[in-house]
Amino acid sequence: MAKKKTDLDIGESLRYIRKQNNFTQKEVSEYLNIARQTYTNYENNERCPDLSIIYALACKYKILIDQLLNYGRLSLPYIIQEETTYGSDTRPVYETALLSGSEQVLVSLFRELHPDQQKELIEYIRFKLHENNTGKNKK
């Protein structure tokens, strides 16, 4: 039976999110404790992962199951979890915020940068915000 445009392409989503997180199929299959070929079949839409696999992947990538199933659809808001620490408390704290489509694109591009480039971009944004707040850019 031919695939309709509205059918869920979970393989594409699985491949996209794996690559965004810089994992190989082998690494993901080992995490899931399944054969690499089984995972490859998921990405190629030759097999559909069961709910326990989908749940494990969502946990690994720190996203909602719905996000995993709809990852390529940037028009849907999704939740990002950021690991942070406060003061001398070194335990990770996960903060959650809904992101618009353009924010999702920005986060996706940001994640592709080298950590040094990420720091540089953050400093630039802080500079631009400071500039805006001090009125240098206001007309």
Side-chain angles (χ1 to χ4, degrees):
M1 177 162 65
K3 184 175 176 172
K4 295 182 281 185
K5 260 190 166 183
T6 56
D7 288 349
L8 179 64
D9 188 353
I10 192 165
E12 182 180 328
S13 294
L14 293 176
R15 182 177 298 109
Y16 181 81
I17 188 78
R18 175 181 58 78
K19 288 182 176 183
Q20 286 295 108
N21 285 276
N22 297 313
F23 290 114
T24 64
Q25 287 184 341
K26 182 180 180 192
E27 290 170 326
V28 174
S29 64
E30 287 175 354
Y31 171 79
L32 296 170
N33 199 27
I34 60 175
R36 188 197 57 77
Q37 186 58 47
T38 301
Y39 183 78
T40 300
N41 288 340
Y42 296 155
E43 285 193 5
N44 292 334
N45 287 313
E46 293 171 12
R47 289 186 64 182
C48 187
D50 64 27
L51 187 55
S52 65
I53 296 291
I54 293 170
Y55 176 76
L57 289 169
C59 290
K60 180 170 186 60
Y61 299 130
K62 298 178 183 162
I63 60 175
L64 299 173
I65 289 174
D66 184 57
Q67 294 168 246
L68 180 64
L69 299 178
N70 294 297
Y71 205 80
R73 301 177 187 166
L74 292 178
S75 61
L76 295 174
Y78 78 102
I79 296 173
I80 184 169
Q81 297 176 324
E82 193 67 38
E83 189 172 342
T84 57
T85 56
Y86 293 101
S88 61
D89 187 1
T90 57
R91 291 177 296 153
V93 177
Y94 295 96
E95 297 177 348
T96 304
L98 287 176
L99 300 181
S100 69
S102 60
E103 290 169 328
Q104 292 175 47
V105 171
L106 182 62
V107 169
S108 178
L109 293 171
F110 180 83
R111 287 179 173 172
E112 292 180 30
L113 294 173
H114 184 274
D116 292 339
Q117 292 172 314
Q118 290 176 348
K119 289 177 187 176
E120 187 177 310
L121 181 57
I122 290 169
E123 288 306 312
Y124 176 75
I125 292 170
R126 286 184 177 143
F127 169 77
K128 294 306 280 184
L129 288 172
H130 177 72
E131 198 175 72
N132 286 345
N133 291 335
T134 58
K136 290 181 184 177
N137 252 359
K138 293 182 181 174
K139 295 181 179 179

